[in-house]
Amino acid sequence: MLQGNSRSDYFKKRRETIGQFNVSVPREKLIALDEKLKAKGQTKTAWLNEKIDEEIGK
């Protein structure tokens, strides 16, 4: 049971600091983005964080 509490505590703390951003886009655009990011060796999360930083001026 301790392991279950540990897991739930972990996710509770994670939700306090991490948010989700979900949008629907045309499949063709998503495939093209996936291919471009794969060629650059970059994840979608890293790419989105970079774009958000650009927008908010970090």
Side-chain angles (χ1 to χ4, degrees):
M1 180 130 167
L2 181 60
Q3 187 177 14
N5 286 338
S6 177
R7 180 177 168 85
S8 64
D9 289 343
Y10 166 79
F11 281 105
K12 185 176 182 179
K13 288 180 180 166
R14 180 178 166 88
R15 285 188 299 271
E16 291 174 0
T17 60
I18 301 291
Q20 288 189 334
F21 182 79
N22 298 315
V23 297
S24 297
V25 296
R27 185 163 304 277
E28 298 81 24
K29 284 185 176 185
L30 184 58
I31 291 169
L33 177 62
D34 284 339
E35 289 173 358
K36 186 167 186 170
L37 294 178
K38 186 175 180 179
K40 291 171 61 176
Q42 190 174 29
T43 65
K44 285 187 267 187
T45 301
W47 174 81
L48 183 57
N49 278 320
E50 182 180 300
K51 296 301 175 186
I52 290 171
D53 288 345
E54 289 174 12
E55 282 297 317
I56 63 176
K58 272 192 165 181

